[in-house]
Amino acid sequence: MTFDNSTSSAHTDVSRAMCIGTLGTGAMSTALGGAWVRAGHAVMVGGRNPASAAATAARIGAAAHGILAEAAGFGEAVLFALPADVAPGVAKELSPELTGRAVLDCTVPMRPSADGPVLTTTGDPDSNATRIATAAPESHVVKVFGVCHESIWTLPRPTFEGAPLAVPYCTDNTDQAASLTEELITSMGCDPLPRGGLDRAALL
């Protein structure tokens, strides 16, 4: 695990700084991790490839980088920005590290078809979020951030027609994970929009 204390975030109106681990080094991990760094949070980038994790961390000014297990155990929230088909398996593998943490699932379980993209899950109530929750039953899974393209999260404060972006989320944990998720969304300059339990996650 490597820490970098050479960068400091620009201000936003975060009420408290959180520690957040991001799993993955692709576009969503980079965009959301960068948004959280700008909001004043400490982010650790985790990847299977140490060089990729280091490069992503340097790109966004993250506090640290390391392997997936280290990032999963870094903070109170863990972003799953992994290929949808591998996310449940990673959740099972990292279940001990994820215990008690809010797991933010932004995966999009879709594949191309002749008629356009289709879900690889079976639809309500099946979703990647419910599969992750089954794989890591002691975690608190939240389906969130997957609706928007990654480019939206690179905006300093996503605002459209004068209104902050509303970010829908679903979770069965109505206290700890929901409260943390709403606080995190608010710190990004967006408005949280609760949409029910994980049985509705397929709609997101």
Side-chain angles (χ1 to χ4, degrees), residues 113-196:
S113 76
D115 298 320
V118 295
L119 286 171
T120 57
T121 52
T122 60
D124 188 12
D126 180 36
S127 67
N128 240 31
T130 57
R131 294 180 181 187
I132 290 170
T134 298
E138 300 303 316
S139 68
H140 307 301
V141 177
V142 184
K143 186 67 181 182
V144 65
F145 299 120
V147 172
C148 293
H149 188 268
E150 62 264 16
S151 61
I152 296 299
W153 308 118
T154 66
L155 301 175
R157 298 179 71 83
T159 302
F160 301 90
E161 298 183 354
L165 176 68
V167 180
Y169 73 89
C170 294
T171 182
D172 284 336
N173 184 288
T174 57
D175 295 319
Q176 179 182 345
S179 176
L180 184 150
T181 300
E182 294 206 353
E183 191 173 355
L184 189 58
I185 291 169
T186 301
S187 78
M188 300 163 69
C190 301
D191 288 340
L193 185 65
R195 295 288 86 185

Side-chain angles (χ1 to χ4, degrees), residues 20 36 77-81 102-106 142 144-145 180-181 184:
I20 307 165
W36 293 329
V78 183
L79 174 72
F80 266 57
V103 173
L104 311 175
D105 170 32
C106 72
V142 184
V144 65
F145 299 120
L180 184 150
T181 300
L184 189 58

